Amino acid sequence: MTSQQGLKRGLSARHIRFMALGSAIGTGLFYGSASAIQMAGPAVLLAYLIGGAAVFMVMRALGEMAVHNPVSGSFGEYASTYLGPMAGFVLGWTYAFEMIIVCIADVTAFGIYMGFWFPEVPRWIWVLGIVFLIGALNLCNVKVFGETEFWLSLLKVGAIVAMIVAGLGLLLFGVNLSGSGETVSSISNLWSHGGFMPNGIGGLIACFAVVMFAFGGIEIIGITAGEAKDPQHTIPQAINSVPLRILLFYVLTLFVLMSLFPWSQITKANSPFVQIFSSLGLPWAAALLNVVVISAAVSAINSDVFGAGRIMYGLAQQGQAPAAFSQLSRQGVPWMTVLVMGVALLLGVWLNYRIPENVFMVIASIATFATVWVWLMILLTQVAMRRKMSREDAAQLKFPVPFWPYAPAAAIVFMLFIFGVLGYFPDNRIALIVGAGWVVLLIAAYRIWGKPGSAKRPEHSPPTHR
């Protein structure tokens, strides 16, 4: 097994577009939205709009760099080039950390979803099973991975569109909840139970910790550049569809759900999608949606393992990770990184065995720190790249960030605001402590390790994986 041939370009525009959808529609929407709704009430719609706008700017910043220089190491390599090797080291390993933490949250959600049908089976058993399944999938040829992600994402998208259409139909005709004539499905549910912002501005701010977790992983679009057949066209297409996905799959979906069912009755016992249709007296719809949310969790875990593997491969190529991480199987897959991710996910099995009640929110808040740190570093890297460019070079960019420099600056301020949110609310403070400790540990490791990656590849040299 050698890395001489490099990663294989087996991902088509169809694969990348649906991988982008898969990363945007996952556990954060199907399960985490319940916590966000409890904190902010219907005002959570504003949080998804604001957070979505900031994430779009991150994606445009990443897109500008990925189209300019499509490499397997993606933003880790860009940070090394424009901010210095230590920045690339910290960013790359924090992204791998993010994927591990997000994966643990996703496998936890998978176990919760399976409890809908098998409440007597311990959750950790389901978590262990899914870890082995995803590990096997990621050892296959990248085209197999792309096809799997395509069909899982297609199922999610189709189900959400069908749910929106069915939900709007129920709203149009007005439906009484089963067993009670007290509550009718109506848009008035958005303001009839304590107002549109029942917990005030504090509730709206608090929910950002969960809302930003929901968008985590969407940066995988940039990582696919190293295995995309035509990154100059596929990456911009995937990124420019982000605003529509946010409006349709988050805002419109939750608008319909909270109109169908009083937000105050949504709990964290299961996915709010399943709860609501079960409460509406449609058990078959609830069972069908449980299949969908399970597929969403599998899709999200699949993408997370892929993303972490490729970023660790890029770090190894730069000398910022053990050389074993750059070894490829005959299928062109960095098998060692998949193995490491699988072993790390066994922590999720243990956590679900030890603290099944609290594990999701603790893990989600830590994942939010790692996610927002990665986004902040991507934004700062893009700013550094622009500052090193002449005006003529910047004018030649094929996919430039819009509203430069004001929009990226606003997105940077917003990311710093999210760190403030994590530090202010006691329930999320552990995320800031763990996250800050992780960054300090990485800086120390970089200095002790002897400053790896100092001989990184020049910016304009041809990528070795081609």
Side-chain angles (χ1 to χ4, degrees):
M1 295 183 182
T2 68
S3 59
Q4 292 176 354
Q5 294 181 339
L7 298 175
K8 296 182 179 179
R9 291 187 180 273
L11 296 177
S12 66
R14 172 174 60 91
H15 292 146
I16 290 175
R17 196 172 296 118
F18 277 86
M19 281 176 67
L21 282 171
S23 60
I25 310 166
T27 305
L29 173 62
F30 286 119
Y31 182 70
S33 57
S35 298
I37 290 169
Q38 286 182 341
M39 293 177 195
V44 74
L45 300 175
L46 290 177
Y48 278 106
L49 279 172
I50 296 168
V55 170
F56 178 61
M57 287 314 306
V58 174
M59 295 311 302
R60 285 301 301 259
L62 179 55
E64 179 179 293
M65 295 185 290
V67 171
H68 179 60
N69 185 23
V71 295
S72 59
S74 189
F75 42 81
E77 189 155 342
Y78 304 142
S80 292
T81 300
Y82 300 112
L83 295 176
M86 186 170 74
F89 178 81
V90 173
L91 175 54
W93 278 107
T94 301
Y95 179 73
F97 175 70
E98 173 200 343
M99 289 296 95
I100 291 171
I101 298 299
V102 169
C103 249
I104 292 174
D106 289 336
V107 296
T108 298
F110 176 83
I112 292 170
Y113 299 153
M114 293 303 292
F116 177 74
W117 287 317
F118 306 101
E120 71 285 351
V121 178
R123 189 192 302 166
W124 68 268
I125 292 177
W126 299 115
V127 174
L128 183 62
I130 196 63
V131 168
F132 281 112
L133 173 64
I134 295 300
L137 269 178
N138 273 267
L139 288 173
C140 296
N141 184 291
V142 70
K143 189 173 181 180
V144 174
F145 166 83
E147 283 296 319
T148 304
E149 197 58 31
F150 169 77
W151 289 108
L152 287 172
S153 296
L154 189 63
L155 173 63
K156 286 189 287 189
V157 172
I160 287 183
V161 171
M163 193 218 67
I164 290 172
V165 172
L168 290 173
L170 292 172
L171 289 174
L172 186 63
F173 296 107
V175 177
N176 289 328
L177 295 180
S178 65
S180 165
E182 297 175 3
T183 307
V184 176
S185 294
S186 166
I187 293 177
S188 63
N189 278 328
L190 294 176
W191 57 81
S192 297
H193 304 276
F196 182 73
M197 198 180 292
N199 297 323
I201 192 71
L204 177 63
I205 292 173
C207 83
F208 273 111
V210 180
V211 167
M212 301 315 286
F213 164 76
F215 293 126
I218 201 169
E219 65 279 355
I220 195 174
I221 299 172
I223 293 174
T224 62
E227 289 163 276
K229 292 179 179 177
D230 186 11
Q232 302 283 346
H233 294 93
T234 55
I235 301 299
Q237 287 175 359
I239 288 174
N240 282 335
S241 64
V242 168
L244 180 61
R245 288 203 303 275
I246 289 168
L247 286 172
L248 179 62
F249 298 119
Y250 282 89
V251 180
L252 184 56
T253 301
L254 293 179
F255 171 85
V256 170
L257 286 180
M258 289 186 292
S259 298
L260 285 173
F261 192 73
W263 70 269
S264 54
Q265 296 180 37
I266 294 174
T267 70
K268 292 184 283 188
N270 208 307
S271 167
F273 290 69
V274 177
Q275 289 179 55
I276 289 170
F277 280 88
S278 182
S279 298
L280 286 168
L282 301 170
W284 61 269
L288 185 62
L289 278 170
N290 204 50
V291 172
V292 173
V293 297
I294 285 171
S295 72
V298 173
S299 168
I301 301 162
N302 205 26
S303 292
D304 295 342
V305 173
F306 174 91
R310 270 48 179 187
I311 206 76
M312 284 191 279
Y313 172 85
L315 286 166
Q317 291 275 295
Q318 291 181 280
Q320 294 182 337
F325 285 176
S326 66
Q327 292 184 351
L328 301 182
S329 69
R330 282 192 289 267
Q331 302 293 332
V333 173
W335 62 274
M336 180 61 78
T337 63
V338 174
L339 183 64
V340 169
M341 281 293 289
V343 172
L345 284 179
L346 293 179
L347 173 62
V349 178
W350 181 80
L351 287 172
N352 276 278
Y353 174 74
R354 295 292 299 172
I355 50 169
E357 298 305 318
N358 302 318
V359 62
F360 182 83
M361 285 309 298
V362 171
I363 290 297
S365 62
I366 296 172
T368 298
F369 174 91
T371 299
V372 173
W373 178 271
V374 167
W375 290 342
L376 177 63
M377 292 289 286
I378 289 171
L379 289 164
L380 294 174
T381 302
Q382 186 266 336
V383 170
M385 183 187 80
R386 280 294 191 102
R387 285 184 171 177
K388 290 184 178 182
M389 282 183 162
S390 67
R391 187 169 295 181
E392 291 74 20
D393 287 340
Q396 295 298 316
L397 288 169
K398 295 180 180 178
F399 192 48
V401 165
F403 308 113
W404 167 264
Y406 306 107
I412 289 170
V413 170
F414 180 78
M415 297 307 160
L416 296 173
F417 163 75
I418 298 299
F419 287 137
V421 171
L422 292 176
Y424 181 78
F425 293 97
D427 290 346
N428 299 322
R429 206 163 288 155
I430 186 173
L432 201 60
I433 296 169
V434 171
W438 169 258
V439 172
V440 170
L441 181 66
L442 284 179
I443 293 172
Y446 176 84
R447 296 193 178 281
I448 293 170
W449 201 345
K451 300 186 179 181
S454 56
K456 65 181 185 300
R457 195 166 63 236
E459 174 192 352
H460 295 295
S461 63
T464 58
H465 66 273
R466 287 182 186 272

